Amino acid sequence: MDIVVYPDSVLKEIAEPVENIDSEIQGIIDRMADLMYSNSGIGLAANQVGIPKRIIIFDINYRENQRDLNVLINPVILSAEDKIVYEEGCLSVPYFNGKINRKKNIKVQGLNRDGNLIDIDAEDLTAICIQHEIDHLDGVLILDHVSALKRNMYKKKIKNLIKKDKNG
Ligand code: NI
């Protein structure tokens, strides 16, 4: 398992709901967690490891030795209020940061790793992170939230990096 980066097409896919939380799904979650912590990420969606299923994980403290992992399977945002703007990055969109408009307070519902229904009231960075990860499940990247100018500059930059890579 590895982190998939732009422009891989799986990042544009709409992830499928998880039907059964079995040992295979739990194994995916555990490997995603190891990958997130080893990359010092605060959140990860299954699309980002090439698996278009509706699974997100997050831990805004991101310290490997003090894990406080949150898992949401088939997450749904029940309510969202107030605005917040934050400079976001993404493990799947290297060399890019952008100021993104989000909701400051959200209520989200989903299943945890054991298949129990949970509700989370999230605010600030946690709320931002959950919205960012749910975006991934809908094939949306932070690039889709910034201006066309900024997006096109990034696309050009990545194209050049890929070209350089191919030429050795
Ligand atoms: Ni991301």
Side-chain angles (χ1 to χ4, degrees), residues 17-131:
V18 174
E19 307 270 351
N20 279 310
I21 299 171
D22 53 18
S23 58
E24 191 196 331
I25 293 293
Q26 290 173 331
I28 291 170
I29 290 166
D30 297 343
R31 281 182 289 151
M32 283 172 65
D34 288 341
L35 205 51
M36 179 181 81
Y37 285 107
S38 65
N39 283 280
S40 301
I42 62 169
L44 197 65
N47 301 47
Q48 292 181 274
V49 296
I51 300 171
K53 292 185 189 290
R54 302 191 81 80
I55 303 169
I56 65 169
I57 60 171
F58 57 96
D59 177 355
I60 62 162
N61 296 312
Y62 71 86
R63 285 181 299 249
E64 172 79 66
N65 55 353
Q66 286 173 263
R67 285 192 184 194
D68 181 20
L69 185 71
N70 295 277
V71 176
L72 277 177
I73 300 165
N74 303 339
V76 178
I77 293 174
L78 301 177
S79 67
E81 287 175 353
D82 306 323
K83 285 180 193 165
I84 190 168
V85 179
Y86 188 78
E87 178 116 13
E88 296 181 31
C90 177
L91 294 174
S92 293
V93 188
Y95 322 113
F96 185 84
N97 283 290
K99 283 189 176 157
I100 316 271
N101 293 304
R102 300 285 187 190
K103 296 294 187 178
K104 191 179 190 308
N105 297 289
I106 62 168
K107 279 185 199 299
V108 63
Q109 191 172 69
L111 302 171
N112 67 11
R113 191 180 174 282
D114 300 316
N116 298 318
L117 191 65
I118 51 168
D119 284 285
I120 296 176
D121 285 310
E123 58 176 17
D124 300 325
L125 185 56
T126 309
I128 290 165
C129 183
I130 293 170
Q131 290 166 84

